[in-house]
Amino acid sequence: MKSVSILVTFVSLLLIVLLSQEANGEVLGETKMLIDKVNRNGPFIGVVIPNSFEMAPLLSYPEYKPSKLIIDVGGKRFRFGSIGHKQVILVMTGLGMLNSGVTTQLLLSLFNIEGVVHYGIAGNANPSLTIGDVVIPQYWAHSALWSWQRYGLGPKDTLPLEDNGDYTRDIGYLNIANYSTPYKSDNFLNNIWYQPEEIFPVNGVPEERQHAFWVPVDSGYYNLAKHLESMKLEGCVNATTCLSTPPKVAFVERGTSASIYVDNAAYRSFIYEKFNVTPVEMESAAVALISYQQRVPFIVIRALSDLAGGGEDESNEVDTFITLASKNAVKVAVEFIKLTAPPK
């Protein structure tokens, strides 16, 4: 009886240890062995996708060949397959900067990834481009890390902790009073100063921060993508709803992300004039920042689904063009991935 009691105690302690390891995010048992096995067959292109409506067109795309292998870790599902001659791992992030950053870090920590392709839809801030166009920016920024200045202070006043190196006035600010009614009347909300992210590159010194606002995509990937400039894209949602101009692939200077859905014409005009951004969305900058810190090549492909803040019609166009934009983003992403692998 005593030996049974000892055995029960031992098993209980073992379960406590294993459960605590699982709770702390460690990958154990068959999942760990499976990850080790697939990594020996790598490297892979990691395809990072924001939402299910953007992933669905890829899952049904003729040139995507899924394997039977799926690995679930940390609430994320990693799907394995191939596009052309390239092995790929697909993972959906969910909405916003936090989800996309955590997912990208998990992808790069677990698997043998040679590069990251992130695609999806986006709002448009650039008046020279239209719905349906697929844009590939050279730089990305997270535009919702702010120092919000108290009322009564202005551009000549030092921000809190600025002298400590935590905050800066170098990037610029949004003066909310400029958007008051009547125009430029005083406003208690005052100024919002844009801030760079603190980053800790994998080849840097741990806990020794660097700063980055505009994060460049991989130059090799960017130049490779230029082969897609003449691609023909979908122009019709159905037999009766079509775009007024044929959509195209466009290479632009900048895109911006924040966990904010921008449906405001005044802010759209402000960020375009200040930062020269085209796509405005909620995930890409996090993918960019993680990939950049881990020194993994990456590129972002976004199809414009609406004019951020609306056009002449009062309704947001995304409800009409979300399917078309998603399909165009997938088409360009697939063709780019095919370019990364020389034919066998």
Side-chain angles (χ1 to χ4, degrees):
M1 191 72 179
K2 184 178 179 180
S3 61
V4 173
S5 177
I6 293 172
L7 178 61
V8 170
T9 302
F10 173 76
V11 172
S12 299
L13 288 171
L14 180 61
L15 285 172
I16 290 171
V17 171
L18 291 176
L19 287 172
S20 66
Q21 287 178 319
E22 289 283 5
N24 287 329
E26 293 189 34
V27 181
L28 303 172
E30 290 185 13
T31 301
K32 177 66 165 62
M33 290 189 290
L34 196 55
I35 290 172
D36 290 342
K37 181 179 179 180
V38 298
N39 280 336
R40 289 194 291 270
N41 295 322
F44 301 86
I45 290 284
V47 185
V48 179
I49 309 158
N51 291 295
S52 58
F53 66 82
E54 292 156 313
M55 183 168 66
L58 179 56
L59 295 179
S60 61
Y61 202 84
E63 295 193 61
Y64 170 63
K65 307 299 181 185
S67 76
K68 295 180 180 180
L69 178 61
I70 291 176
I71 298 179
D72 294 337
V73 179
K76 301 298 179 182
R77 171 157 289 181
F78 298 91
R79 304 169 186 265
F80 292 77
S82 63
I83 294 173
H85 296 296
K86 205 69 178 180
Q87 296 184 104
V88 296
I89 302 176
L90 276 52
V91 61
M92 190 184 79
T93 67
L95 187 70
M97 292 282 288
L98 177 62
N99 279 325
S100 53
V102 168
T103 304
T104 305
Q105 184 62 68
L106 193 59
L107 170 74
L108 299 183
S109 297
L110 291 176
F111 299 104
N112 181 4
I113 301 297
E114 67 174 82
V116 170
V117 175
H118 176 56
Y119 77 84
I121 66 169
N124 176 31
N126 187 338
S128 67
L129 295 172
T130 60
I131 291 172
D133 289 347
V134 174
V135 296
I136 303 177
Q138 192 171 8
Y139 298 92
W140 281 92
H142 174 210
S143 56
L145 183 58
W146 299 340
S147 174
W148 204 320
Q149 198 170 33
R150 71 171 62 188
Y151 179 69
L153 301 183
K156 293 183 179 180
D157 296 296
T158 303
L159 301 174
L161 301 178
E162 182 179 347
D163 291 338
N164 194 44
D166 292 322
Y167 296 98
T168 178
R169 285 172 289 160
D170 291 343
I171 297 168
Y173 67 101
L174 165 64
N175 183 352
I176 295 173
N178 288 344
Y179 297 89
S180 299
T181 304
Y183 179 59
K184 286 193 176 181
S185 62
D186 207 6
N187 193 303
F188 285 122
L189 291 176
N190 202 23
N191 302 320
I192 293 170
W193 290 86
Y194 292 90
Q195 301 299 318
E197 287 278 0
E198 290 185 353
I199 62 170
F200 301 88
V202 67
N203 57 351
V205 178
E207 298 183 354
E208 188 173 294
R209 65 181 178 178
Q210 300 178 26
H211 290 93
F213 188 71
W214 293 113
V215 177
V217 305
D218 180 74
S219 59
Y221 276 10
Y222 191 74
N223 291 329
L224 186 64
K226 290 184 177 178
H227 289 89
L228 307 175
E229 203 161 12
S230 60
M231 277 186 66
K232 185 176 181 181
L233 302 175
E234 296 290 331
C236 292
V237 177
N238 50 44
T240 59
T241 305
C242 293
L243 298 169
S244 57
T245 57
K248 59 186 179 296
V249 177
F251 291 82
V252 297
E253 185 180 14
R254 294 170 173 174
T256 181
S257 308
S259 291
I260 302 166
Y261 190 93
V262 177
D263 191 27
N264 183 281
Y267 189 67
R268 174 191 75 212
S269 298
F270 168 78
I271 58 173
Y272 175 71
E273 292 169 6
K274 183 165 187 60
F275 294 128
N276 190 31
V277 298
T278 297
V280 181
E281 41 80 274
M282 302 175 70
E283 295 87 19
S284 296
V287 178
L289 282 158
I290 296 298
S291 300
Y292 183 71
Q293 291 184 80
Q294 298 298 314
R295 298 299 189 246
V296 175
F298 74 95
I299 195 166
V300 178
I301 296 164
R302 287 278 180 165
L304 304 178
S305 60
D306 62 282
L307 183 61
E312 296 178 1
D313 193 341
E314 290 185 1
S315 62
N316 191 300
E317 307 93 336
V318 69
D319 294 327
T320 302
F321 294 105
I322 186 173
T323 301
L324 181 147
S326 297
K327 288 181 178 178
N328 281 346
V330 166
K331 186 173 185 178
V332 176
V334 165
E335 291 305 312
F336 174 79
I337 292 168
K338 288 164 61 179
L339 289 175
T340 65
K344 290 186 178 179

